[in-house]
Structures are given as C-alpha cells and as structure tokens.
Amino acid sequence: MPELVLPPLTLLLLALFGGWAAVDGTSVGQFGVSRPLVAVLGAGLIVGEPAAVLPLALLLEAAHLSVLPVGAARYPESGPPAVVGAALYAAGPQTPGALLSTLVLVLALEWLSGESIRWLRSVNIRLLLPCLGRGVRAGLLERRHLLAIAADFARGMLLLLAGLTLLAPPLHWAAGVWGNGVDPLARALLTMFLIFMLAASARLFTGRARLFVVGAAAGLLVQVLR
C-alpha cells in the first residue's frame, strides 16, 4: 500500500515505543529496548504481528552485533528505525523481496537517525552551558538534564512518525518491482547478508564462541548454495 494506515491508538503506541527506544540507547536505562531484536519484536506486538517480523528482527540484530554505542562515537542508531521497519513490514506482503527492501531502507534510516543524535548532542551542549562554573544550583542542572532527556524522547517519536511517512511509498514501489518471481534471489541475498554480518561480528567473540559464529555462517552458506 502506498500509504500506511494505522489505528490512532496503534500509531500512538508506536510513537511512544520509538521514543523509549531512542532514550534507551544512551540517555536512560540502557535496558536493551533499543536493540533491533527487542525493538522489532516490541513493535510487532503493538501491531499484532510478532511472529511475522521475527526475520527482520534477526537480520537487523545481526547487523548491529558489532555496533557499540559508547562515548561520542558516530554510529547508526537502531532503535526507532527498527520500530519503523517492523510496522512497515508487518503491514506489507511479507515476502523475501519485501523483507530485503525493508532491511535496506531501515539501514539507511539508521544512519540518518545517527546523524540526528549528533545534532542533539550539539543542542545539549548549548542547553547545559549555563550550568558550567561554580555556584550552579542543583535544581537548574536537574531541570536541564530532564529537558535533554525529553528532547531525546521527542526525537525518537519524530523519527518514528517521519520514517513511517517517508518509507511507506518506496517500500510499496519496491514490492511491485520485486514481485514473487524473484523471491529466490531475494532470499539468497538475505542469507548472504546474514552470513557477512555474523562473520564481521566474529571478532567480538573468543574461543568456542567464535567457532560457533563461524559455524553458523558456514551452515547458512551451505543452505543457500544447495
């Protein structure tokens, strides 16, 4: 469908969940809600299709195994874009071609979302400048801190709403281009993507854990070549 039509309550819950996923990355908690696996499955529960979005959850999580959001490093943000991708994929035909198209667009949105983090950091610096120096009241510092967290939450909600609006038309177009006749090609590309992501993350593991990751990638390669 060229336009994604969701019930108002579902859209509100998705927006709130997108805001939560945004602040969970670094601002508040870091409970893991911003991880793609959790964000996609949570969005799937909201739209009523948790099982359908599981392949997208696994692929996005594999892409982020080696991403560590620490310090002031530049990195793609996974939380809100993953929620967007889950909602769009659940509303579509859920074919391998649709899954591949959703994956590509979500990864692109993640980089834009990461740039919005850099922009928010510059805003936070200006926000906290009055709190520098001696004699700063604790109440002022606390209010500015809470304001920065609220801004991050609002950023996540806006990313969610903008992502749903902007990505629905290209996904509709891609679904028409792929069709059902090239689903085997899409399935092969998805499998290769998963293999490369697991192989790239192998450096994070040692000993038997690394052997497990390499073995999983080799098993997937055998499956796609059969």
Side-chain angles (χ1 to χ4, degrees), residues 81-168:
V83 179
V84 172
L88 292 174
Y89 181 65
Q94 299 170 12
T95 61
L99 178 58
L100 179 61
S101 302
T102 305
L103 176 65
V104 171
L105 289 174
V106 169
L107 291 176
L109 183 61
E110 286 181 358
W111 280 105
L112 294 176
S113 187
E115 289 301 308
S116 72
I117 292 178
R118 295 183 60 228
W119 172 80
L120 185 61
R121 286 172 180 166
S122 64
V123 172
N124 288 341
I125 291 173
R126 293 193 293 271
L127 186 66
L128 294 174
L129 278 178
C131 300
L132 299 178
R134 298 181 179 179
V136 177
R137 298 190 307 275
L140 174 62
L141 181 60
E142 180 181 0
R143 287 192 297 272
R144 294 300 176 96
H145 184 204
L146 292 176
L147 183 58
I149 294 175
D152 197 16
F153 191 92
R155 181 188 63 84
M157 293 183 66
L158 290 174
L159 279 170
L160 185 282
L161 296 174
L164 291 177
T165 302
L166 296 176
L167 297 192

